[in-house]
Amino acid sequence: MSAVTIPKTPVRVSHPLRAEAVRGFAPIAGAAVVLTLGVLLVGSSAHWQGGWAETAAQLHNSVLVSVPLAAAAGCWQGGRERRRRTEELWGTVVRTPLVRFLASALPVAFWTAAGHLVAAALAMLATWPYAQGDRPRFGTVPGDAVAVAAAALLGHVVGRAVPTRLAAPLLAIAGYVGLGVLASADPGLAGPLDPAFPIMDTDVPVWWQPLAMAGWTAGLALAAALGSAARRRATALLPLAAAVAAATVLVQAGDGLWHEDPAAHRQVCDTSTTPAICVEARYAGMLPQIGEALSGITGRLKGVRNLPARWEDVNHEPRDPEAQLPMLTPLGWSVVRGRLTDPRQYAWEAAAALERRPECLHPTRRMLVADDAVESYLAPSPLQDDTDAWDAKGSAEQRAQARSRKAARARLRTMDDQDRREWLSAYFATAGTCDVKGVPAL
């Protein structure tokens, strides 16, 4: 009887790096980063959703949380073999210590960095429907992701070296506190090297800052990994030299790493009204609804002379012939997700800004009555009725003042259109002073 040869089917053995990346702790670590950042971003969404610059700043500042979290995840993974008591067994395998280190550490670094990128992508998508101008900003995202991955590698080194289960939570706390202290301290030398250094929405990095920051954080992490697991530890000198070179560039640049966004100082105007309405170029899409909110004021001011040429959304004292438009920023107050939160309050503040009066130490009753009548005619304060009701229950002097204000408001409203335009023209001629003697009495 002849023997039958059965062909052997080759058994495909998955690469250990793939097994670690697909199963186990690494995907959980990435999901933890996404979930944690998601909760933080949702909780503060009113302050960034709707502005590309605010979203970019919020994502960069969230590194203060994602870096310690990634370091803790790497530390926990680094102590896995000790917890399983398989260190001696791993010592008998053919693979070198560095290969074993990378097979365990790289998946956590990849997944935590991917978690940060996913959170950033979701935040960008959440901003897109409400953005009112400008453009998406991705400048800091790559450098931040590399910093998160580097933190995971450094945490892995700590987890292998420190024989305690408390190493991971303690490292997370220490990282958060340390980065927080660096962020709140005088920038000095540490500021340019701090991957979680806080920025404002008007800050834009120079094009090479993310590359230099990535070289600093990645070089430091690779140097620690090679020094911990490589057979020839001298190879750690190469990434260490790269980290030192990147750090030198960052420190020497200092404040030059960031510059102000030019769009924050550029105004876009709607000149179809008098005064014209101007906002920052980053929020040009807000002009139609601001124009609608102020339409009652601009409609009542047709034909009136001596008005400011425009309202401007500026962060400084307006200059003639400008008036201060109520500020749109910071988001979360007068603007949330691309919409005015209280158009009536916004209109009243814009009407009050037309007076452009300095702080008068001793305002006269005539001045107060005239200002109140103009504000009430153009855009009444949302609290006007409450104030009148309160004064009506007050002292005799308060009741008399309330009667004077109401009478002046009524006279201004019932004037002939031409007479009212002349009176308002005389009134606005005194704007910027503490004297209304040239204004006819009401």
Side-chain angles (χ1 to χ4, degrees), residues 59-426:
L59 287 173
H60 173 73
N61 296 337
S62 68
V63 172
L64 180 64
V65 173
S66 56
V67 161
L69 186 58
C75 185
W76 183 257
Q77 180 79 345
R80 179 182 63 177
E81 306 309 328
R82 185 183 302 108
R83 293 192 303 273
R84 294 177 175 178
R85 298 181 180 179
T86 57
E87 290 178 295
E88 294 184 1
L89 179 61
W90 269 104
T92 63
V93 301
V94 178
R95 294 186 178 90
T96 64
L98 180 59
V99 171
R100 297 199 303 269
F101 177 94
L102 295 178
S104 178
L106 287 181
V108 176
F110 168 79
W111 276 105
T112 52
H116 184 87
L117 291 174
V118 168
L122 292 175
M124 294 287 183
L125 288 175
T127 288
W128 178 66
Y130 306 104
Q132 298 298 320
D134 206 1
R135 54 183 175 76
R137 303 188 180 194
F138 307 104
T140 60
V141 174
D144 293 342
V146 172
V148 172
L153 282 179
L154 288 171
H156 198 91
V157 173
V158 174
R160 287 165 60 95
V162 180
T164 174
R165 291 174 178 266
L166 295 177
L170 291 176
L171 182 61
I173 294 172
Y176 181 78
V177 172
L179 290 175
V181 170
L182 287 175
S184 60
D186 183 21
L189 179 66
L193 301 180
D194 181 7
F197 186 76
I199 62 173
M200 305 294 291
D201 58 275
T202 55
D203 293 332
V204 178
V206 295
W207 67 269
W208 51 264
Q209 189 272 347
L211 299 176
M213 181 59 69
W216 156 243
T217 55
L220 203 61
L222 289 175
L226 292 174
S228 170
R231 286 181 178 177
R232 297 180 180 179
R233 297 187 177 182
T235 55
L237 294 176
L238 183 59
L240 183 60
V244 171
T248 303
V249 172
L250 291 170
V251 171
Q252 287 182 345
D255 295 337
L257 293 172
W258 304 88
H259 61 87
E260 278 197 295
D261 181 11
H265 301 284
R266 183 163 55 88
Q267 299 280 304
V268 176
C269 300
D270 176 7
T271 57
S272 64
T273 64
T274 302
I277 303 171
C278 302
V279 299
E280 282 187 26
R282 298 184 298 170
Y283 311 106
M286 294 288 297
L287 276 175
Q289 58 178 300
I290 293 176
E292 182 179 355
L294 303 184
S295 60
I297 300 175
T298 55
R300 293 183 178 93
L301 290 177
K302 286 183 178 179
V304 176
R305 304 182 306 278
N306 303 318
L307 292 171
R310 57 190 170 273
W311 279 292
E312 283 202 349
D313 179 30
V314 292
N315 196 20
H316 57 75
E317 280 297 319
R319 297 177 295 272
D320 288 336
E322 303 168 358
Q324 173 71 60
L325 192 70
M327 296 295 293
L328 301 177
T329 56
L331 299 184
W333 297 98
S334 60
V335 177
V336 173
R337 297 180 183 88
R339 304 297 302 177
L340 291 174
T341 55
D342 191 343
R344 184 182 176 188
Q345 174 73 18
Y346 191 87
W348 172 70
E349 293 178 8
L354 292 175
E355 299 166 7
R356 298 176 293 161
R357 295 201 187 281
E359 292 294 332
C360 302
L361 297 178
H362 303 289
T364 63
R365 174 175 292 189
R366 182 177 178 182
M367 182 189 304
L368 296 175
V369 169
D371 290 348
D372 176 79
V374 171
E375 289 179 16
S376 178
Y377 173 68
L378 295 179
S381 167
L383 301 178
Q384 178 177 289
D385 294 339
D386 294 336
T387 302
D388 291 343
W390 178 265
D391 288 343
K393 299 176 183 179
S395 62
E397 182 180 358
Q398 288 177 313
R399 293 196 298 272
Q401 291 176 355
R403 287 193 296 270
S404 298
R405 291 197 302 269
K406 289 182 179 179
R409 295 170 193 165
R411 284 194 292 272
L412 183 60
R413 288 195 185 94
T414 56
M415 278 184 181
D416 177 78
D417 289 345
Q418 181 62 32
D419 292 340
R420 185 167 48 240
R421 283 193 292 268
E422 292 298 327
W423 189 94
L424 288 172
S425 298

